[in-house]
Amino acid sequence: MTANSPPRPTLAPVIFILVLGALLPFLLQSGFHMRLAMLIWIYAILSMGFNLLYGYTGQISLGQPAFYAIGAYGFAMLQVKLGWGPVPSFIGTLVVCAVVAVLIGLPLLRLRTHYLAMATLAFMLIQHGIANRWIGFTGGQSGIAIVPLQWGGETIGRTGLYFVVLGMAAAVLLLHDFLVRSHVGRAMQAIRDDETAAAALGVHVVKYKLRILVLSAVIAGVAGVCFTLTSLRVDPSLSEFHVLVSMLTIVVVGGLGTRFGPILGSVVVVLLPQVLTGFGELETIVYGAFILVFLLFLPHGLSSLIERRDFLAAFKARKPAGTGKEAAE
Amino acid sequence: MMMKLSYLLLAGLTNGSVYGLIGLSLSIIYGSSRVINFAQGEFVMLGAMTAVMFLATLALPWPVALVLVAVVAIVAALGLDHGVYRPLVRRKAEPLTIMIGTLAAAIIIYGIALLVWGPEQKFVPPILSLAPIRFGFLMTNAQQLAIIAMFFGFLVATWFLLYRTRFGLSIRATGVNPRVALLMGIRSERIVQFSFMYSAFVSGMAGLMIGPLLGGQIGMGLLLTVKGFMAAILGGLGSPFAAAAGGLAIGLMEAFMAGYGTSLYAEPAIFVLILLVLIVRPYGLLGDYEAERR
């Protein structure tokens, strides 16, 4: 596993990614490319929350898109309906996400594997149903529009907005990285690998699970706020199934339970459809096949290639394991 | 009053039968392989859409079409088994990873269906007549009755297969412990393959029958998968019969919620109910079997 690799992980790759992100606006010219770049960061934030929860702690939640949507709606509604400023709305939204996560998490974290997955999926469908149907409150299909973010009386331009999103992503990335490398990360992985053993070693399983669920919900909320900031409107499509599929694809392609998997994955998942438009009607099939190929041939995602640094060794290490297994059985 | 009640009851039983059959299929696959098949609803979609192709486009007689629909569903299931399940199991993937793999398979099946049938809603020709039949105040049609009859037919067939045949004994043994079953000379890979084929057959038939009532559209699979899951989870994944009962319960709740409450909130309300059930009984309403085995 990558977490036990001998050289101590440093902050260098984090800084490298963030510097690269900061340089991006000077390299990209068109507004469309900037939008894609922002979308990459938004999906990266969302998937980092899911990575903490599923990749590191082993608790699957298919309800993450619901928190993403709650974040987006909360941010829009606090501004439009209550007239709060952007910063108080941002904080208020995160509090709302955290409270909802506690309410959902307390009863549901008793469930395991498939039952937890289905219960959280039910939560997502409830959220989606309400966003779609309670027209007086959520605006229904047409959603809610908000005014652009302003600074000193002037509307922040696209590049400024990009740096706001990048700032949020940087904060989440640093938090993600810090947690994973700290004792909390080790406790999380212990829970993932064996709950009973973790409890025996003094890890407070229930407390950790709940904390990580709340944290991942808040992170999904941050992603939702970023989405509202960039698209200036929210609608029920935020918690549609394709968001969930994208998120799962990101963590699988990037690598579950890896430090930079969510970022690598979201680069691929956001850019892939742009490449695939060349395939026309075959796009959906190629997308599905892509996930499958990654699951089969790179189960630890793109990160496993990069973190091992040396491709040949990775392939050599896999081959004998494959033949050895058959001999053993 | 009685008329509305009976109408809702029948509509609920019809939809519930389909959810129940999907739940049963999911539970059979889960029992032998510990995998939740996200592509189950796509088999139902394939059943409905191939019915359009064979009955309407090619205008084949219905017994031939029925066999061909079953063949398509079973071939798709074999593809899922050999293309997704086995390779992932050989690589020692976690059940939840395999679940994501079946999700990828669902996307691929959807993509192929998009190429073949396009995104429009299609009319699925009914095998039996849709003309109303009256029993006193009871209004129904032959198709509806056939779906409900098929549900109970498959229930009995599954029970017979699992509890009255030697083969069923090996299926159950694989479900309890695949390794020990393997040591007893049961080829667990074949059991899993059979469970994929059987459940695809059941779901394909459900699609063929419900198609005329729901309308055939290639996007229908996803919602059906979700309803089937909810059925299986509500009843208890461990037993096919509990899952089927869960499906009936969901169908009936849906119908009564739409009939007496508000049809707008029928769907979210059901998911709320399922959440509440899971909070009280974390392994489903009838799920003690599964809980004991842990």
Side-chain angles (χ1 to χ4, degrees), chain A residues 18 41 98-99 223 230 242 244 248 256 266 270-271 295 318:
Chain A
L18 291 179
W41 286 117
V99 170
T230 57
H242 75 92
L244 179 61
L248 288 173
L256 265 171
S266 67
V270 173
L271 296 185
L295 281 179
R318 189 168 303 120

Side-chain angles (χ1 to χ4, degrees), chain A residues 50 54 58-60 62 103-104 107-108 110-123 125-130 132-135 241-242 244-245 248-249 251-252 256 281-292 295-297 299 318 325-326 329, chain B residues 30 34-36 38 83-84 87-92 94-105 107-108 110-112 114-115 179 222-223 226 229-230 232-233 236-238 263-268 271-272 274-275 278-284 287 290 294:
Chain A
F50 184 66
Y54 180 49
Q59 306 302 310
I60 194 164
L62 300 181
L103 292 180
I104 288 293
L108 288 191
R110 294 194 300 150
L111 307 174
R112 279 159 198 250
T113 58
H114 295 110
Y115 289 85
L116 181 62
M118 288 311 130
T120 48
L121 183 65
F123 169 64
L125 293 167
I126 293 166
Q127 191 279 329
H128 183 67
I130 291 173
N132 235 334
R133 290 173 171 81
W134 195 355
I135 294 168
F241 216 74
H242 75 92
L244 179 61
V245 173
L248 288 173
T249 315
V251 291
V252 166
L256 265 171
E281 286 198 306
L282 285 172
E283 190 189 323
T284 322
I285 302 178
V286 175
Y287 197 80
F290 201 76
I291 303 178
L292 203 53
L295 281 179
L296 286 176
F297 300 111
R318 189 168 303 120
K325 200 205 92 194
E326 269 148 40
E329 287 196 3
Chain B
Y30 180 80
R34 289 289 165 278
V35 167
I36 286 226
F38 242 97
V84 178
L88 280 174
V89 165
R90 294 222 173 108
R91 287 172 174 77
K92 301 201 191 311
E94 297 278 313
L96 284 174
T97 310
I98 303 179
M99 182 175 95
I100 299 175
T102 60
L103 183 62
I107 295 172
I108 294 173
Y110 173 84
I112 293 172
L114 183 68
L115 285 185
R179 286 191 64 83
L222 182 66
L223 193 62
V226 170
F229 279 151
M230 296 306 166
I233 295 283
L237 254 180
S263 64
L264 191 62
Y265 284 103
E267 225 169 77
F271 294 130
V272 172
I274 289 168
L275 263 187
L278 276 181
I279 289 169
V280 181
R281 292 190 56 92
Y283 291 101
E290 171 99 5
R294 291 196 70 90

Side-chain angles (χ1 to χ4, degrees), chain A residues 161-183:
Chain A
L161 213 52
Y162 175 81
F163 280 107
V164 172
V165 173
L166 182 67
M168 304 250 198
V172 173
L173 178 61
L174 286 171
L175 179 68
H176 179 270
D177 209 57
F178 169 72
L179 275 184
V180 164
R181 294 187 300 147
S182 70
H183 68 101

Side-chain angles (χ1 to χ4, degrees), chain A residues 95-234:
Chain A
V95 171
V96 170
C97 281
V99 170
V100 175
V102 170
L103 292 180
I104 288 293
L106 275 179
L108 288 191
L109 281 174
R110 294 194 300 150
L111 307 174
R112 279 159 198 250
T113 58
H114 295 110
Y115 289 85
L116 181 62
M118 288 311 130
T120 48
L121 183 65
F123 169 64
M124 181 187 106
L125 293 167
I126 293 166
Q127 191 279 329
H128 183 67
I130 291 173
N132 235 334
R133 290 173 171 81
W134 195 355
I135 294 168
F137 187 55
T138 63
Q141 283 286 350
S142 51
I144 301 169
I146 66 158
V147 291
L149 200 60
Q150 293 187 332
W151 179 264
E154 278 185 57
T155 303
I156 293 183
R158 191 175 273 122
T159 314
L161 213 52
Y162 175 81
F163 280 107
V164 172
V165 173
L166 182 67
M168 304 250 198
V172 173
L173 178 61
L174 286 171
L175 179 68
H176 179 270
D177 209 57
F178 169 72
L179 275 184
V180 164
R181 294 187 300 147
S182 70
H183 68 101
V184 182
R186 287 190 289 278
M188 284 154 58
Q189 289 173 47
I191 293 173
R192 174 190 66 190
D193 295 337
D194 190 332
E195 261 180 43
T196 320
L201 289 171
V203 176
H204 201 310
V205 174
V206 178
K207 212 188 263 175
Y208 269 104
K209 276 194 199 171
L210 189 63
R211 281 180 185 167
I212 298 300
L213 181 82
V214 170
L215 181 67
S216 72
V218 168
I219 291 177
V222 171
V225 170
C226 290
F227 181 85
T228 318
L229 280 177
T230 57
S231 73
L232 299 181
R233 67 175 308 108
V234 292

Side-chain angles (χ1 to χ4, degrees), chain B residues 75-278:
Chain B
V75 167
L78 284 176
L80 185 64
D81 182 28
H82 287 266
V84 178
Y85 177 74
R86 285 195 193 188
L88 280 174
V89 165
R90 294 222 173 108
R91 287 172 174 77
K92 301 201 191 311
E94 297 278 313
L96 284 174
T97 310
I98 303 179
M99 182 175 95
I100 299 175
T102 60
L103 183 62
I107 295 172
I108 294 173
I109 295 175
Y110 173 84
I112 293 172
L114 183 68
L115 285 185
V116 178
W117 291 289
E120 307 85 29
Q121 172 125 10
K122 299 229 154 112
F123 172 70
V124 184
I127 288 180
L128 296 155
S129 127
L130 287 179
I133 305 172
R134 292 194 73 111
F135 300 110
F137 56 82
L138 211 65
M139 268 266 266
T140 180
N141 58 50
Q143 187 83 11
Q144 241 182 5
L145 292 177
I147 291 173
I148 299 170
M150 183 178 75
F151 172 75
F152 287 105
F154 272 126
L155 220 54
V156 172
T158 307
W159 174 81
F160 187 81
L161 181 76
L162 284 181
Y163 290 95
R164 285 292 177 272
T165 63
R166 217 182 146 70
F167 189 64
L169 189 64
S170 45
I171 295 177
R172 286 185 291 141
T174 310
V176 174
N177 190 334
R179 286 191 64 83
V180 175
L182 198 67
L183 292 175
M184 298 296 132
I186 296 165
R187 300 192 200 182
S188 39
E189 267 201 340
R190 290 213 177 165
I191 300 286
V192 173
Q193 178 175 333
F194 172 81
S195 71
F196 269 106
M197 284 162 59
Y198 183 74
S199 65
F201 172 68
V202 172
S203 299
M205 288 298 118
L208 172 80
M209 296 300 284
I210 196 72
L213 302 176
L214 286 183
Q217 205 264 333
I218 55 162
M220 71 197 281
L222 182 66
L223 193 62
L224 287 172
T225 309
V226 170
K227 293 266 175 70
F229 279 151
M230 296 306 166
I233 295 283
L234 183 67
L237 254 180
S239 148
F241 311 110
L248 276 192
I250 287 182
L252 287 173
M253 280 196 295
E254 211 175 51
F256 285 119
M257 206 93 76
Y260 291 110
T262 149
S263 64
L264 191 62
Y265 284 103
E267 225 169 77
I270 282 177
F271 294 130
V272 172
L273 265 176
I274 289 168
L275 263 187
L276 292 180
V277 168
L278 276 181

